[in-house]
Amino acid sequence: MQAQNKDRPSAEWIASMRGQFQTEREIDRVLTRKLERRAGPGFAPLALSTLVTGLQAMLRSRLDRPFNIKEARWLCGGASKLQMAFTLEWQRPGVGFERTPMVLRMEPAESIVETSRLREFQLLRAFEGVIPVPTTFWCDVDAEFLPYPALIYGFSAGVTKPATATSGVTGLGTQLTPAVRAQLAPQFVQHLVAIHRHDFTKSELTAFDMPAPGTTQCAEWGINWWDRVWEEDCDEEVPLMRVASAWLRRNIPVLDRVSVVHSDYRLGNFLFTEHDMRISAWLDWELGRLGDRHQDLAWTTSRAFGSVDVNGDFLVCGLMPEKEFLEAYQRASGLSVNPRTMHWYKAYNSYCIGVLILATSYRIARNGKTHQDVLVTWLIGIGGMIIDELRSLIEQGN
Amino acid sequence: MQMRPEIQIASVIKAMKDVVIPAIDPANKLAVEQSQLIIGLLSLLSIQLPLWYRFDRDELARLLDCAKALQGVPAGDAATKPALERLRHSGAAAATVLEQCRVEPDSLTASVRELREAIGALVKAVAGTKDLAAQLGIERIVLAMSKDQLIRDRSFVKMQGWEPDPAAVPDIATLLPPV
């Protein structure tokens, strides 16, 4: 049998991927779209003026009063999306004339994590007034106006790390002082509790499918998602990833309660204002889903997102020891933490990151699909550490 | 190991062309010239890298032929004899090395990839059965192999700074036995 050329996937092969791995409908849509466009051109540098022109066309279709786009500039940070900051001078409905600082967040040709702008938009909107999030404005779901799908939200003031802190790319490995930790850690726990306890049934979450509680559907959709991405993107086979997939399916947990799950809840994905040490915005909701709170708890406690203090003790997201973090969460939420489910989701999350780092990063950098292939290539280096943690979790779970 | 030189070089060249060079002040002639030289050298490296081994082997074969021919030249001078003797020794050693260098590095990489595929396919196949004992037996062996391999993968990129406790990861040179 001839191997499939993953850089030029056939329609039959795309259909076979869709058939083999049942996921949420919107996840299926974006993954299918990715494959259908893969043989197309790589990412070419975009001028700010191109984005401004697209944005103008979009706003003309959404606003019935004159407006001006001012101070357009690139933002850096993160490894997955392009971001342009700008100021919109407009007649804001219900407010009047306003100069509103905004951010346009747009996909490259292919991203290190292929996700739905509509899901991200809907989750941000669902949490306005619940926890600090940027105010959402518009979404170009199918790239009708802009070169690629994009969303527009309010600019939030703040930093991802103290001006004096050191860290690696994407905020990983940030070292915080005890004083900073003491002020951020309680908010960090409180906001996670608010996400998991939020009554999402009143929000418009049409881009999400809700898994049935009391079943394994939630976890199955998750494994199918990442198994599919592994098949679609990997170049070099990694036998451990096959072991991990089999182990996850053999030990699959039952969902006890459906929560909104942020799925990338960690240091580096929130902004805080240094003058008062308040968290000002939670960002990067693109992996969010309706699912199991243990997914967030396990993600947040990953070794990859933490750091070691001066005594050599591991700190969750550089903020607090894991035991202290979980106790505070349970106290504030009244929700239980099942150690077996927690362990399963730690393995699941490591598997997911392993897929993104070892398969997707390689595929998109090789095909020149992003605005920062050099960063994506750099990130491949963390793959060994991630899946060694996965190996260790599987051994502990047997 | 997925983070191979080819993809590293390609992504650095793209970053230079798409982001760094357009941002250089055209008045800074030294920076403009050296940025182009960086692209040039990296592009040259990407062409040469897959051929270096073959290039060196080819040269060694030619030098060996040359050495044999040189030993056939009648030269009995006292000053020449030690040099000829040295050439004879070096030629014999080189002939042994050349004989041993009969496999392309690509063949080694291809074998690694093929065995990864075959082992992965076995894990996937047994996972679809009800034979739990076989699943656990195969997993145990793959987990043990992965443990040994992953410490090498981690060590190979240690300078990137991912490890929370770098001292716990041995240096790569201590983990790779001599060929």
Side-chain angles (χ1 to χ4, degrees):
Chain A
M1 190 179 72
Q2 191 171 7
Q4 170 65 41
N5 179 354
K6 295 181 181 179
D7 295 331
R8 307 188 70 80
S10 65
E12 293 75 24
W13 189 69
I14 295 172
S16 80
M17 291 293 104
R18 301 184 69 191
Q20 280 181 59
F21 304 104
Q22 191 200 351
T23 61
E24 289 182 69
R25 286 165 296 174
E26 181 69 358
I27 301 297
D28 173 50
R29 186 186 71 81
V30 295
L31 293 181
T32 302
R33 181 179 182 276
K34 169 193 77 175
L35 290 181
E36 288 171 346
R37 289 164 184 257
R38 177 163 285 168
F43 180 84
L46 285 167
L48 276 173
S49 59
T50 304
L51 293 194
V52 169
T53 302
L55 182 57
Q56 282 169 333
M58 181 181 176
L59 294 181
R60 274 196 293 272
S61 78
R62 309 284 166 92
L63 301 173
D64 52 12
R65 306 282 295 274
F67 62 86
N68 277 313
I69 297 166
K70 296 281 184 69
E71 298 156 356
R73 62 202 183 278
W74 293 114
L75 289 178
C76 68
S80 66
K81 305 292 175 288
L82 292 106
Q83 301 195 107
M84 178 186 83
F86 63 98
T87 300
L88 183 65
E89 294 179 347
W90 61 316
Q91 295 291 333
R92 187 171 180 176
V95 176
F97 178 80
E98 190 177 83
R99 298 185 80 252
T100 314
M102 295 186 182
V103 174
L104 183 151
R105 178 170 157 84
M106 188 180 74
E107 301 169 11
E110 259 185 61
S111 173
I112 190 170
V113 54
E114 202 68 26
T115 54
S116 160
R117 301 286 61 73
L118 181 59
R119 281 167 75 102
E120 188 171 20
F121 185 86
Q122 289 186 343
L123 276 183
L124 281 165
R125 180 152 284 186
F127 281 95
E128 283 176 28
V130 179
I131 60 169
V133 289
T135 304
T136 49
F137 291 100
W138 305 282
C139 189
D140 188 12
V141 178
D142 295 315
E144 188 182 349
F145 302 99
L146 291 152
Y148 304 102
L151 63 96
I152 289 140
Y153 53 59
F155 182 90
S156 301
V159 294
T160 55
K161 62 181 181 182
T164 54
T166 59
S167 75
V169 290
T170 73
L172 302 181
T174 301
Q175 301 284 339
L176 302 173
T177 64
V180 172
R181 295 202 299 258
Q183 294 188 78
L184 292 180
Q187 299 172 71
F188 185 83
V189 175
Q190 180 197 336
H191 293 162
L192 185 60
V193 168
I195 293 170
H196 290 172
R197 292 218 60 105
H198 181 60
D199 178 7
F200 58 85
T201 59
K202 295 185 177 66
S203 306
E204 187 184 353
L205 296 176
T206 56
F208 296 80
D209 293 326
M210 189 174 91
T215 74
T216 57
Q217 191 176 44
C218 170
E220 278 172 42
W221 283 350
I223 306 171
N224 287 344
W225 180 354
W226 300 113
D227 274 359
R228 175 172 169 178
V229 175
W230 179 259
E231 293 290 350
E232 291 173 350
D233 294 354
C234 86
D235 171 60
E236 181 181 81
E237 179 60 276
V238 179
L240 176 64
M241 296 297 276
R242 300 295 184 183
V243 166
S245 174
W247 184 90
L248 288 167
R249 290 184 189 279
R250 210 169 53 235
N251 295 279
I252 199 159
V254 170
L255 176 65
D256 63 351
R257 178 185 189 279
V258 183
S259 295
V260 170
V261 177
H262 180 284
S263 301
D264 198 4
Y265 195 89
R266 63 175 173 87
L267 188 69
N269 274 344
F270 65 82
L271 300 174
F272 63 97
T273 41
E274 286 193 273
H275 66 278
D276 58 1
M277 286 294 164
R278 304 298 300 171
I279 292 178
S280 54
W282 276 97
L283 308 170
D284 283 3
W285 292 75
E286 62 180 311
L287 280 163
R289 62 189 293 226
L290 297 178
D292 192 320
R293 63 188 178 281
H294 294 88
Q295 183 178 333
D296 269 343
L297 294 170
W299 182 274
T300 302
T301 53
S302 168
R303 302 277 305 175
F305 304 137
S307 60
V308 177
D309 69 10
V310 288
N311 302 318
D313 296 325
F314 177 74
L315 300 176
V316 171
C317 287
L319 290 167
M320 64 183 107
E322 182 169 328
K323 187 167 180 287
E324 190 182 316
F325 167 71
L326 293 175
E327 285 173 355
Y329 171 85
Q330 288 178 92
R331 247 191 337 269
S333 68
L335 298 171
S336 61
V337 176
N338 180 325
R340 277 187 68 85
T341 308
M342 177 86 170
H343 186 87
W344 189 91
Y345 272 105
K346 282 192 175 190
Y348 168 87
N349 288 336
S350 293
Y351 181 65
C352 157
I353 305 173
V355 170
L356 296 178
I357 295 293
L358 292 176
T360 307
S361 293
Y362 175 84
R363 182 68 48 192
I364 60 177
R366 169 196 164 102
N367 289 333
K369 291 286 188 178
T370 85
H371 56 303
Q372 42 188 4
D373 290 347
V374 69
L375 170 58
V376 171
T377 301
W378 179 262
L379 288 175
I380 297 173
I382 200 175
M385 194 181 88
I386 297 289
I387 65 168
D388 206 15
E389 184 180 12
L390 172 60
R391 177 198 57 77
S392 176
L393 288 163
I394 292 170
E395 286 184 343
Q396 291 161 26
N398 276 337
Chain B
M1 169 55 79
Q2 193 77 84
M3 198 170 173
R4 291 192 172 268
E6 300 82 17
I7 192 171
Q8 293 185 49
I9 293 169
S11 65
V12 171
I13 289 174
K14 188 163 185 282
M16 287 295 297
K17 284 182 175 173
D18 290 356
V19 180
V20 179
I21 290 178
I24 293 174
D25 178 0
N28 189 336
K29 300 297 181 197
L30 192 63
V32 169
E33 180 182 85
Q34 294 203 2
S35 62
Q36 294 299 339
L37 288 168
I38 289 170
I39 298 281
L41 281 172
L42 287 172
S43 301
L44 179 64
L45 188 57
S46 69
I47 293 166
Q48 291 178 334
L49 204 53
L51 298 172
W52 267 121
Y53 180 84
R54 201 182 296 176
F55 188 92
D56 286 340
R57 192 187 183 284
D58 176 70
E59 183 181 3
L60 186 59
R62 190 166 299 101
L63 287 170
L64 203 51
D65 287 345
C66 177
K68 284 176 187 164
L70 289 171
Q71 286 170 68
V73 175
D77 187 86
T80 313
K81 272 188 176 174
L84 274 173
E85 185 58 18
R86 180 189 167 184
L87 183 61
R88 193 181 63 77
H89 275 289
S90 299
T96 303
V97 169
L98 189 65
E99 182 58 26
Q100 289 168 343
C101 292
R102 284 193 169 275
V103 178
E104 296 266 8
D106 278 358
S107 302
L108 180 63
T109 312
S111 288
V112 167
R113 288 174 66 95
E114 170 52 29
L115 265 184
R116 281 174 170 266
E117 289 281 347
I119 293 169
L122 175 65
V123 174
K124 200 175 169 187
V126 79
T129 72
K130 296 190 186 312
D131 189 347
L132 185 61
Q135 287 174 23
L136 294 175
I138 286 169
E139 282 185 15
R140 197 163 44 246
I141 292 167
V142 174
L143 287 168
M145 177 276 289
S146 301
K147 183 176 184 179
D148 288 343
Q149 181 57 43
L150 285 168
I151 194 67
R152 285 157 178 79
D153 289 359
R154 290 165 58 186
S155 177
F156 211 22
V157 297
K158 189 162 80 164
M159 67 74 62
Q160 282 191 287
W162 304 113
E163 297 289 340
D165 183 11
V169 179
D171 290 337
I172 189 64
T174 67
L175 292 170
L176 300 178
V179 175

